[in-house]
Amino acid sequence: MIQQIDQGRSDAATLEQLFNHDISIQTTPHQPAPSKTALSKYLLLYIQGGKDLDGVPWQRGEIGGAILDEDLSVIKHLGPVFQPDRDDHWRSSRLLAGSLRLVNENTLYFFYGGSPDRPNLLHEYIGFCKGIIRDNHEIDWQAPQLIEFLDWEKYYDYSDHPLMPDQRHRQLRDPFPIFHEGKYWMFLSAAAKTNSQPKKGCIGLAVADQLEGPYTL
């Protein structure tokens, strides 16, 4: 399915079920109205190398999107949904994979990573964008916000990147938050404090009282 909707180079995707409110269905006494689940649609967001972006795709990525039907066929292409913003440091050069979280029938969050340009291309950040679901598959996205992570240096470290030996890699990406026992727990990719260079990758964990943070690692 990712290949079917791909308009560039697609690396990772996140899929979330939405409820469509604008479908008009004719029913008869012998054909009851379908349940809410039967009207469900999906929002797919994925990384792509935009046609107007120069360089290696992973260095200049953006987030594309599509609305999918129950059988995962494409209903509507959304084109680029999120793009790098030169005026916002943490996402000024490239965007990284993320995850969607539907918090109620009309509101969802997209958590994703980003980084500035060289010489800080490998200094990664995580932020989020809140969306309000409208009719006709439209989503009004608010301005992206950077998430604050506390005590990162206490448990995690920089790593070396074989293609960029002149830069330290602050790996902080792939956010996936869940709600458990009154708190929000965010799983993410990070680099552990270990001497086993260059293999330092690990699954990190951060916790917060509010979905938007701040999170303590």
Side-chain angles (χ1 to χ4, degrees):
M1 179 55 60
I2 294 176
Q3 286 77 14
Q4 180 179 344
I5 66 173
D6 187 16
Q7 298 175 350
R9 177 177 179 270
S10 177
D11 288 321
T14 179
L15 187 70
E16 181 61 72
Q17 187 176 39
L18 305 177
F19 290 114
N20 180 24
H21 303 283
D22 66 333
I23 296 180
S24 176
I25 297 180
Q26 301 296 323
T27 62
T28 69
H30 304 289
Q31 180 188 4
S35 66
K36 199 172 191 180
T37 302
L39 298 181
S40 61
K41 306 301 174 190
Y42 294 89
L43 170 64
L44 176 68
L45 296 180
Y46 54 93
I47 297 177
Q48 65 179 19
K51 296 179 180 179
D52 59 336
L53 299 179
D54 298 324
V56 181
W58 72 266
Q59 295 185 28
R60 300 289 294 159
E62 63 183 16
I63 305 295
I67 301 295
L68 310 183
D69 209 340
E70 291 179 73
D71 61 358
L72 300 186
S73 61
V74 178
I75 296 177
K76 181 180 180 180
H77 290 286
L78 300 179
V81 180
F82 300 99
Q83 294 178 299
D85 184 345
R86 291 292 184 184
D87 296 325
D88 200 355
H89 178 75
W90 73 271
R91 57 189 182 99
S92 59
S93 178
R94 65 184 178 122
L95 303 184
L96 306 170
S99 63
L100 285 161
R101 180 179 177 87
L102 190 67
V103 296
N104 58 50
E105 188 174 300
N106 299 307
T107 306
L108 74 160
Y109 282 78
F110 178 52
F111 294 86
Y112 63 107
S115 76
D117 210 340
R118 292 174 182 268
N120 298 309
L121 184 66
L122 297 183
H123 196 94
E124 298 169 355
Y125 298 87
I126 290 176
F128 70 88
C129 195
K130 183 178 180 180
I132 305 300
I133 304 170
R134 306 297 186 189
D135 292 336
N136 301 315
H137 310 124
E138 298 294 333
I139 300 175
D140 293 337
W141 294 103
Q142 299 179 2
Q145 298 183 47
L146 179 64
I147 293 178
E148 181 182 6
F149 288 94
L150 307 176
D151 295 334
W152 178 85
E153 297 85 356
K154 185 176 181 179
Y155 300 102
Y156 304 100
D157 199 1
Y158 291 89
S159 60
D160 296 325
H161 197 290
L163 299 180
M164 297 183 180
D166 60 323
Q167 296 190 44
R168 302 302 307 280
H169 188 186
R170 180 182 185 262
Q171 187 171 329
L172 195 63
R173 57 167 72 184
D174 308 324
F176 188 85
I178 64 171
F179 184 76
H180 179 64
E181 295 185 347
K183 292 185 179 294
Y184 291 93
W185 304 82
M186 181 178 289
F187 295 89
L188 45 84
S189 297
K193 284 193 171 182
T194 174
N195 293 324
S196 59
Q197 287 280 13
K199 299 178 180 180
K200 302 177 68 172
C202 69
I203 303 299
L205 181 62
V207 62
D209 293 324
Q210 304 295 328
L211 181 59
E212 298 181 3
Y215 284 82
T216 300
L217 289 156

